């Protein structure tokens, strides 16, 4: 039996080039050969912490080329145990034989591919000269999102807000040697109107990005709020923006940022401009003009996981 490779968090962290990862993601969305069933999404009660947990199963395959499935649990109260809220494993498969080629640590893989997808969207939707970024949230995604956005735009100034000043400062310390300046802020309001890109990655159920603060030409990257009762942006933000999603399959169904405005009539489904398949294939060109406000809502897609698994597998085996 073939040896199953173990690709751990350290390898993923030290072998990520966001320019490369964005490029392979772009090719996959453009070619659109990956078969992706709708993800399995199961909420289950967790009475010990008085909050539901979630099990996600995300398969994808390119016939006779590659295949895989990600198993993820999301437990919002894990901060009480000093653990990340998201944990998971990726099984990378031989698409012909059905055997397991590698097991990848999925938390880092997910963070990298999610950040790369946001950067890919930004390459179409943010202004080409965008040089300032507000990061809302201090979880595992925040540092990756900052670096990914900086790989596609000339970011030289970053501000970060979080509910914990200690965690905010930790992210700043982690990125202190990057090519941009980074600083913590005490309130979102003090910088939200000044930056070119706003990226938010939280589990908030209350909107943090308020439309009344937005200015012309901004790009808003919404990465958190993975359930329909969660919101990172209010209705005004959605109404006054050109809205894009990673995929129509998941984007219109899974996040409160899109589902709630659709349900209350603030927007209609036809108001959603395009997804990453449309953008990468050239069916939609993205930003129309300099003053347009754009929103990208990401809920994740198994294509991204498979592309990332293949990317790290090739690096690990030097293929």
């Amino acid at each position: 039996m073939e040896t199953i490779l173990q690709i751990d968090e350290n390898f993923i962290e030290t072998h990520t080039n966001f320019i490369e990862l964005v490029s392979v993601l772009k090719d996959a969305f453009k070619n659109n050969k990956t078969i992706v069933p709708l993800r399995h999404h199961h909420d289950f009660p967790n009475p010990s912490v008085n909050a539901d947990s979630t099990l996600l199963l995300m398969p994808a395959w390119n016939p006779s080329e590659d295949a895989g499935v990600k198993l993820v649990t999301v437990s919002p109260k894990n901060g009480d145990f000093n653990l990340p809220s998201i944990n998971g494993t990726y099984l990378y498969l031989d698409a012909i034989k059905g055997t397991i080629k590698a097991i990848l640590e999925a938390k880092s893989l997910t963070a990298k591919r999610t950040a790369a997808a946001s950067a890919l969207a930004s390459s179409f939707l943010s202004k080409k000269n965008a040089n300032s970024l507000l990061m809302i949230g201090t979880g595992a995604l925040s540092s990756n999102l900052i670096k990914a956005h900086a790989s596609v735009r000339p970011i030289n100034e970053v501000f970060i807000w979080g509910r914990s000043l200690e965690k905010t400062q930790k992210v700043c310390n982690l990125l202190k040697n990057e090519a941009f300046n980074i600083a913590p802020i005490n309130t979102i309001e003090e910088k939200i109107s000044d930056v070119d890109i706003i990226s938010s990655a939280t589990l908030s159920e209350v909107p943090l990005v308020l439309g009344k603060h937005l200015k012309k030409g901004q790009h808003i990257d919404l990465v958190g709020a993975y359930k329909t009762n969660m919101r990172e942006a209010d209705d005004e933000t959605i109404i006054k923006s050109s809205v894009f999603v990673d995929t129509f399959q998941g984007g219109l169904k899974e996040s409160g940022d899109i589902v709630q405005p659709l349900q209350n009539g603030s927007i209609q489904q036809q108001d959603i401009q395009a997804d990453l398949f449309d953008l990468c294939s050239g069916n939609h060109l993205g930003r129309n003009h300099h003053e347009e406000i754009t929103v990208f809502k990401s809920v994740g897609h198994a294509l991204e996981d498979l592309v990332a698994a293949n990317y790290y597998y090739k690096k690990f085996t030097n293929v």
Side-chain angles (χ1 to χ4, degrees), residues 39-92:
R39 79 175 78 184
H40 295 254
H41 185 134
H42 305 282
D43 295 328
F44 57 93
N46 197 345
S48 295
V49 294
N50 196 32
D52 285 355
S53 291
T54 302
L55 172 66
L56 301 171
L57 303 174
M58 288 164 273
W61 58 86
N62 291 313
S64 296
E65 293 185 20
D66 56 0
V69 60
K70 186 169 71 173
L71 298 86
V72 173
T73 56
V74 184
S75 299
K77 295 293 186 178
N78 269 9
D80 297 346
F81 309 107
N82 198 30
L83 293 170
S85 58
I86 300 173
N87 293 278
T89 298
Y90 195 88
L91 302 180
Y92 185 55

Side-chain angles (χ1 to χ4, degrees), residues 98-277:
T99 55
I100 299 174
K101 296 168 69 173
I103 299 175
L104 296 91
E105 192 278 319
K107 180 169 71 70
S108 293
L109 180 142
T110 302
K112 302 301 183 188
R113 66 79 154 152
T114 302
S118 284
L120 175 58
S122 181
S123 72
F124 293 101
L125 302 178
S126 65
K127 295 182 295 185
K128 294 187 184 301
N129 64 347
N131 60 20
S132 55
L133 169 71
L134 168 61
M135 184 70 235
I136 300 173
T138 57
L141 269 172
S142 60
S143 61
N144 288 292
L145 282 163
I146 293 168
K147 288 191 287 187
H149 278 291
S151 76
V152 298
R153 290 293 183 253
I155 304 295
N156 56 38
E157 197 169 32
V158 176
F159 304 97
I160 182 165
W161 176 88
R163 301 187 191 279
S164 164
L165 182 60
E166 180 182 358
K167 291 181 179 179
T168 305
Q169 191 59 57
K170 185 177 179 180
V171 177
C172 290
N173 294 341
L174 183 65
L175 300 177
K176 64 181 179 180
N177 294 323
E178 297 293 330
F180 45 76
N181 295 318
I182 183 168
I185 56 175
N186 293 315
T187 65
I188 294 172
E189 291 73 22
E190 64 190 87
K191 286 297 177 182
I192 191 171
S193 301
D194 299 330
V195 297
D196 295 317
I197 298 173
I198 301 158
S199 184
S200 185
T202 73
L203 299 176
S204 181
E205 296 182 6
V206 179
L208 300 170
V209 178
L210 305 181
K212 66 181 180 180
H213 297 307
L214 300 181
K215 68 174 184 178
K216 294 178 180 178
Q218 287 182 308
H219 172 59
I220 298 95
D221 173 41
L222 303 175
V223 183
Y226 69 96
K227 295 170 70 174
T228 56
N229 66 320
M230 295 177 174
R231 294 288 303 262
E232 292 193 292
D234 65 356
D235 285 348
E236 185 176 348
T237 297
I238 302 301
I239 291 169
K240 69 195 306 182
S241 303
S242 298
V243 180
F244 299 79
V245 293
D246 51 359
T247 68
F248 284 107
Q249 183 187 51
L252 300 183
K253 300 176 181 177
E254 297 185 18
S255 171
D257 283 316
I258 302 298
V259 171
Q260 290 185 35
L262 285 172
Q263 289 178 339
N264 66 31
S266 294
I267 59 170
Q268 304 300 315
Q269 185 168 326
Q270 58 265 30
D271 293 324
I272 309 299
Q273 299 290 307
D275 64 5
L276 285 177
F277 291 106

